[in-house]
């Protein structure tokens, strides 16, 4: 058995994902409320009530509680001397190895919610693929970027 | 270095205009049809202004196309200076582009029907940076002699970089180019290629024929007497039209393939592959060997039966204007035994006869189990709505399982020093040869069920065009998959 990559996403990342889930649920709640009102007003069949309510409850349980938890448990990454390894996946566990010499550039993106928690998504691009590590602590992301660019400078083959 | 200014051939004005006009035909046709042909030049007619407006717009568009073609031809000049190909064009906004000769990756020639009439050629100059699917410089139409001059200049520039030689010598070098041919497609192979390119269609029409025969065997006349006649005639008609359509489609694809791949030749010249092909429209594609990322051997079932294969090259950067896919067919159709020695000669440090380690027996269910998720609803719907014919969809179940077993038999991998070879099948068998240094990333995926059984799928991506090309061997031993991961690390 291969050892799992070392680092987990920070605890704050889980909070942010939960927050996303809550926002999504709220959005669905508004839509559901509108649909329910429409059902009441136009006398559509009453099973629509059930569907709307079920969708909201499911979203609350899954996207605000369960999925972030599993994702967070599962998400691991490790930056070693010569390669980056990430592991993630909800139902299917995906592992990816990216050699440092293949890395072309690194981007960090930060939305308003992530900024509040001082987190950032870092995406690592090779010539053919893009890999994202979500919700990293900003200091760590910057350090990672610096290291990758340093290591990428000693690359041999292009492409 | 000559400093004379070269122009494009006047025909290029016509070609450019024709291209612009061609792109205008469709919208105009749509407008004409939607208008219901209510045209009239009668001044009192209500459609008069509409007609005037439409034709006015179209006329202006056509005029613009013509003018732009002429302007482009009049303003476009190119010349050679300081070991660079220099291009200048534009009427109000002057655009210049200088390309150093040693940066030029490939010169691709294209001869359309227009070009052939006047002995001209379209030249596309590509550098490693031609990533946005466009050649760096396109010379719409120049004389063949002029195209040869560009090549000669390029060679001279490259030679001067390596070792300075006087002009006469370099000229003589150019003239005695005898390029070794590594592959020339025989007429027989061309016909087989053209025949099997629509192979699936032929198989399908055969299937339809069999199905229509079935309607004689099933005694449903007794069940629905009146309905039966109608269904039978309907089914027969449908089958007949389907067969005729497929035959027509196959014939069209046959002819197109014949025209496109006529005189298909691959030659090698100072670390570059040169591919020439075409009957009406001649094409010449250059492919530097060092841009090649991976080699794919594709065998569709019908061709595999006769030992034929297609060899595809995944390359980074230029692709000779083949449109939007960056994969270049190296050998469209070749006996597999014959292509291996050729490939060995081309890439001597690769192992072309791999011994695969296959997927374990216990992984077999993974190859067809997932299909039932979408298969069962389809079969259910077919059986319910298209009774009794819909019941035929039940045959999909054994077919899916058989395909799964076949995929399982095919799936395998091999690590050999610095090379990873993958073999898998979706429908055609794909063998993907990759060097470690060309692999951009490797990943593994494992579902919950696969974990229970200790199997894992493995993916490897190489650069190819803009997006990359991913090979995927499903469900091999977990230890094997992890071995590949560790091999890639070190």
């Amino acid at each position: 058995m291969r050892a799992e990559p070392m680092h987990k996403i920070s605890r704050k990342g889980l909070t942010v994902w939960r927050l996303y889930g809550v926002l999504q649920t709220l959005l669905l709640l508004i839509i559901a409320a509108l649909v329910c009102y429409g059902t009441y007003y136009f006398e559509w069949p009453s099973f629509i009530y059930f569907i709307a309510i079920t969708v909201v409850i499911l979203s609350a349980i899954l996207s605000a509680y369960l999925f972030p938890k599993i994702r967070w448990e599962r998400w691991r990454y490790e930056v070693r001397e010569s390669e980056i390894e990430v592991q993630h996946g909800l139902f299917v566990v995906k592992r990816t190895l990216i050699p440092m010499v293949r890395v072309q550039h690194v981007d960090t993106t930060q939305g308003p919610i992530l900024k509040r928690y001082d987190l950032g998504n870092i995406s690592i691009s090779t010539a053919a693929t893009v890999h994202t590590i979500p919700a990293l602590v900003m200091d760590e992301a910057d350090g990672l970027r610096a290291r990758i660019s340093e290591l990428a400078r000693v690359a041999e083959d292009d492409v | 270095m000559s400093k004379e200014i070269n122009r494009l051939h006047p025909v290029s004005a016509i070609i450019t205009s024709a291209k612009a006009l061609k792109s205008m035909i469709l919208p105009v046709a749509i407008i004409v049809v939607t208008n219901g042909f209510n045209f009239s030049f009668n001044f009192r007619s209500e459609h008069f202004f509409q007609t005037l407006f439409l034709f006015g717009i179209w006329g202006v568009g056509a005029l613009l196309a013509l003018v732009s073609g002429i302007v482009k031809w009049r303003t476009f000049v190119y010349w050679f200076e300081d070991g660079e190909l220099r291009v200048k064009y534009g009427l109000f906004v002057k655009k210049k582009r200088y390309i150093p000769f040693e940066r030029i990756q490939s010169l691709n020639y294209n001869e359309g029907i227009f070009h052939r009439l006047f002995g001209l050629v379209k030249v596309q100059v590509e550098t490693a940076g031609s990533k946005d699917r466009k050649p760096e410089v396109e010379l719409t139409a120049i004389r063949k002699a002029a195209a040869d001059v560009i090549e000669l200049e390029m060679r001279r520039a490259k030679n001067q970089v390596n070792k300075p030689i006087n002009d006469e010598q370099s000229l003589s070098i150019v003239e005695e180019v005898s390029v070794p041919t590594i592959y020339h497609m025989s007429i027989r192979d061309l016909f087989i290629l053209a025949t099997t390119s629509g192979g699936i269609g032929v198989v399908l029409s055969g299937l339809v024929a069999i199905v229509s025969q079935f309607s004689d065997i099933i005694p449903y006349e007794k069940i629905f007497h009146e309905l039966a006649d109608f269904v039978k005639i309907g089914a027969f008609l449908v089958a007949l039209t389907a067969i005729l359509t497929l035959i027509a489609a196959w014939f069209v694809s046959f002819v197109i393939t014949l025209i496109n791949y006529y005189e298909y030749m691959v030659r090698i010249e100072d670390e570059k592959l040169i591919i020439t092909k075409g009957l009406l429209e001649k094409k010449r594609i250059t492919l530097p060997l060092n841009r090649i990322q991976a080699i794919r051997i594709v065998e569709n079932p019908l061709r595999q039966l006769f030992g034929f294969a297609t060899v595809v090259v995944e390359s980074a950067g230029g692709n000779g204007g083949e449109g939007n896919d960056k994969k270049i067919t190296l050998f469209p159709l070749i006996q597999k035994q014959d292509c291996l020695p050729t490939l060995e000669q081309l890439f001597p440090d690769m192992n072309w006869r791999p011994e695969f380690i296959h997927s374990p027996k216990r992984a077999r269910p993974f190859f067809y189990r997932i299909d039932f998720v979408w298969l069962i609803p389809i079969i259910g719907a077919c059986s319910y709505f298209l009774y009794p014919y819909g019941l035929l969809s039940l045959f999909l179940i054994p077919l899916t399982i058989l395909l799964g077993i076949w995929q399982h038999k095919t799936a395998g991998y091999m690590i050999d020093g610095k090379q990873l070879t993958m073999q898998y099948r979706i429908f055609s068998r794909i063998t993907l040869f990759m060097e470690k240094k060309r692999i951009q990333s490797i990943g593994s995926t494992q579902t919950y069920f696969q974990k229970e059984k200790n199997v894992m799928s493995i993916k490897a991506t190489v650069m190819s065009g803009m997006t990359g090309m991913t090979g995927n061997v499903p469900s091999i031993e977990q230890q094997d998959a992890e071995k590949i991961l560790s091999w890639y690390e070190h």
Side-chain angles (χ1 to χ4, degrees):
Chain A
M1 276 301 285
R2 244 181 107 85
E4 290 199 316
M6 268 194 326
H7 302 288
K8 282 187 136 180
I9 305 283
S10 76
R11 195 66 222 199
K12 285 192 291 185
L14 180 58
T15 320
V16 171
W17 287 344
R18 288 239 160 98
L19 205 56
Y20 283 151
V22 169
L23 286 176
Q24 189 196 314
T25 312
L26 281 176
L27 191 71
L28 281 172
L29 190 65
I30 292 165
I31 294 168
L34 285 173
V35 168
C36 286
Y37 178 73
T39 314
Y40 170 76
Y41 196 81
F42 297 107
E43 294 177 358
W44 290 333
S46 59
F47 68 82
I48 291 181
Y49 285 126
F50 292 109
I51 291 177
I53 292 164
T54 319
V55 164
V56 171
I57 290 172
L58 269 182
S59 161
I61 293 170
L62 293 180
S63 66
Y65 172 73
L66 198 62
F67 285 175
K69 189 165 178 286
I70 300 174
R71 260 178 81 191
W72 183 79
E73 288 283 338
R74 195 48 63 68
W75 241 110
R76 283 164 183 277
Y77 70 96
E78 191 175 338
V79 181
R80 290 192 286 272
E81 202 49 54
S82 55
E83 71 269 333
I84 303 161
E85 184 169 4
V86 293
Q87 176 190 305
H88 62 104
L90 208 54
F91 304 107
V92 182
V93 185
K94 300 189 184 88
R95 265 191 178 192
T96 315
L97 275 172
I98 310 125
M100 284 291 186
V101 288
R102 296 272 157 268
V103 175
Q104 301 231 327
H105 60 266
V106 181
D107 301 322
T108 31
T109 50
Q110 199 179 30
I113 297 176
L114 284 170
K115 197 172 169 65
R116 259 208 59 195
Y117 287 88
D118 193 33
L119 299 172
N121 295 339
I122 184 164
S123 53
I124 299 151
S125 308
T126 67
T129 51
V130 182
H131 311 271
T132 307
I133 307 178
L136 276 178
V137 178
M138 247 354 227
D139 297 350
E140 215 171 319
D142 289 336
L144 199 62
R145 228 177 21 194
R147 266 188 64 198
I148 289 169
S149 64
E150 203 175 300
L151 283 160
R153 238 172 266 146
V154 290
E156 347 125 23
D157 278 304
D158 63 332
V159 182
Chain B
M1 282 289 154
S2 63
K3 281 231 186 159
E4 61 178 298
I5 301 279
N6 302 286
R7 291 190 179 281
L8 299 179
H9 195 272
V11 171
S12 66
I14 301 169
I15 292 170
T16 312
S17 313
K19 221 188 230 167
L21 279 178
K22 213 163 43 176
S23 60
M24 280 175 42
I25 284 176
L26 193 65
V28 168
I30 289 171
I31 293 168
V32 169
V33 171
T34 48
N35 255 348
F37 301 102
N38 289 327
F39 294 124
S40 127
F41 285 105
N42 186 342
F43 184 65
R44 288 185 186 77
S45 157
E46 58 189 287
H47 295 295
F48 174 70
F49 282 106
Q50 219 178 0
T51 313
L52 204 65
F53 181 69
L54 191 69
F55 275 88
I57 291 216
W58 193 54
V60 168
L63 202 67
L64 277 178
L66 201 68
V67 168
S68 78
I70 291 169
V71 164
K72 193 185 160 189
W73 161 63
R74 287 300 307 171
T75 59
F76 195 106
V77 292
Y78 70 94
W79 69 101
F80 315 112
E81 199 178 324
D82 294 343
E84 286 179 335
L85 169 67
R86 300 189 168 182
V87 174
K88 193 169 79 177
Y89 60 97
L91 183 62
F92 303 113
V93 184
K94 287 260 186 277
K95 290 184 184 158
K96 288 181 183 175
R97 189 165 255 175
Y98 296 175
I99 302 175
F101 279 121
E102 58 267 25
R103 283 267 166 262
I104 294 180
Q105 290 269 6
S106 54
L107 288 176
N108 295 319
Y109 296 165
N110 231 324
E111 296 170 47
I113 297 169
F114 254 131
H115 292 98
R116 306 262 320 251
L117 286 175
F118 298 92
L120 303 169
V121 60
K122 177 166 90 178
V123 180
Q124 293 176 320
V125 179
E126 283 182 342
T127 66
S130 316
K131 270 196 179 171
D132 51 351
R133 293 178 188 170
K134 275 207 207 96
E136 215 78 6
V137 167
E138 187 173 285
L139 308 173
T140 318
I142 55 175
R143 292 205 171 283
K144 274 186 187 152
D148 290 342
V149 169
I150 296 178
E151 196 150 359
L152 197 143
E153 288 280 353
M154 190 171 95
R155 227 180 267 264
R156 204 190 305 188
K158 284 188 180 178
N159 277 338
Q160 266 175 346
V161 173
N162 299 339
K163 45 184 193 294
I165 24 177
N166 65 43
D167 276 9
E168 266 172 60
Q169 241 179 320
S170 73
L171 273 175
S172 67
I173 286 175
V174 172
E175 265 146 37
E176 62 180 48
V177 172
S178 59
V179 188
T181 306
I182 57 170
Y183 173 71
H184 184 207
M185 198 161 167
S186 64
I187 292 291
R188 186 197 64 149
D189 283 4
L190 176 64
F191 266 91
I192 293 171
L193 174 76
T195 315
T196 52
S197 66
I200 299 283
V202 176
V203 171
L204 277 177
S205 68
L207 270 179
V208 173
I210 291 165
V211 169
S212 69
Q213 286 301 311
F214 254 91
S215 61
D216 298 341
I217 299 166
I218 302 167
Y220 52 68
E221 280 114 310
K222 289 170 187 165
I223 310 166
F224 305 101
H225 194 70
E226 278 181 23
L227 192 73
D229 281 350
F230 172 73
V231 166
K232 219 167 88 172
I233 290 167
F236 178 71
L237 277 177
V238 167
L240 196 69
T241 35
I243 290 172
L244 286 176
T245 327
L246 283 169
I247 287 175
W250 170 82
F251 185 73
V252 169
S253 86
F254 177 85
V255 171
I256 288 174
T257 316
L258 222 54
I259 290 169
N260 278 346
Y261 286 96
Y262 182 78
E263 276 294 304
Y264 191 98
M265 247 156 100
V266 182
R267 288 166 312 168
I268 184 158
E269 182 183 328
D270 53 2
E271 296 299 297
K272 283 182 185 161
L273 290 173
I274 294 172
I275 301 169
T276 47
K277 63 176 182 188
L279 177 65
L280 295 177
E281 188 178 8
K282 279 193 182 165
K283 279 189 177 162
R284 196 195 86 150
I285 299 163
T286 323
L287 175 68
L289 280 176
N290 60 4
R291 306 291 295 168
I292 293 176
Q293 304 292 310
I295 309 268
R296 239 188 329 157
I297 299 181
V298 183
E299 298 159 272
N300 81 22
L302 196 70
R303 290 177 189 168
Q304 196 185 338
L305 208 64
F306 298 102
F308 281 108
T310 306
V311 179
V312 178
V313 173
E314 303 290 346
S315 94
N319 71 327
E322 282 283 294
N324 43 20
D325 55 344
K326 291 285 184 191
K327 60 177 207 284
I328 299 177
T329 310
L330 182 62
F331 308 134
L333 187 83
I334 189 165
Q335 280 282 345
K336 201 173 173 186
Q337 290 87 359
D338 299 350
C339 84
L340 293 177
T342 315
L343 286 170
E344 267 161 8
Q345 191 188 324
L346 272 178
F347 310 97
D349 42 7
M350 299 275 279
N351 176 358
W352 291 103
R353 299 171 199 275
E355 304 280 328
F356 288 109
I357 297 168
H358 285 285
S359 168
K361 210 176 175 76
R362 64 171 186 280
R364 191 189 283 170
F366 293 117
F367 285 86
Y368 49 77
R369 220 162 56 179
I370 194 78
D371 293 332
F372 288 107
V373 174
W374 55 264
L375 211 59
I376 297 223
I378 289 180
I379 291 171
C382 281
S383 307
Y384 181 78
F385 291 110
L386 301 167
Y387 190 86
Y389 281 109
L391 286 175
L392 285 172
S393 62
L394 284 171
F395 279 109
L396 283 171
I397 295 175
L399 281 177
T400 312
I401 291 177
L402 279 174
L403 182 66
I405 290 170
W406 205 18
Q407 287 171 337
H408 170 254
K409 262 182 83 93
T410 310
Y413 81 98
M414 188 201 67
I415 296 174
D416 179 17
K418 294 220 165 293
Q419 176 190 341
L420 171 65
T421 315
M422 291 180 155
Q423 189 173 64
Y424 54 99
R425 174 192 300 283
I426 296 155
F427 193 67
S428 301
R429 181 163 80 178
I430 295 169
T431 318
L432 188 59
F433 296 84
M434 294 171 287
E435 275 183 291
K436 185 173 171 176
K437 66 173 185 194
R438 299 289 194 191
I439 300 175
Q440 299 290 333
S441 75
I442 277 193
S444 67
T445 59
Q446 192 177 38
T447 62
Y448 174 78
F449 302 105
Q450 283 178 316
K451 201 181 171 107
E452 294 288 291
K453 289 260 191 244
N454 260 338
V455 295
M456 220 179 209
S457 307
I458 204 98
K459 279 189 165 100
T461 307
V462 293
M463 165 100 183
S464 167
M466 299 292 288
T467 48
M469 144 94 204
T470 305
N472 180 11
V473 183
S475 304
I476 52 175
E477 286 276 9
Q478 183 158 347
Q479 294 156 326
D480 287 347
E482 288 178 351
K483 201 166 86 187
I484 295 175
L485 289 174
S486 350
W487 165 83
Y488 188 55
E489 276 180 350
H490 304 298

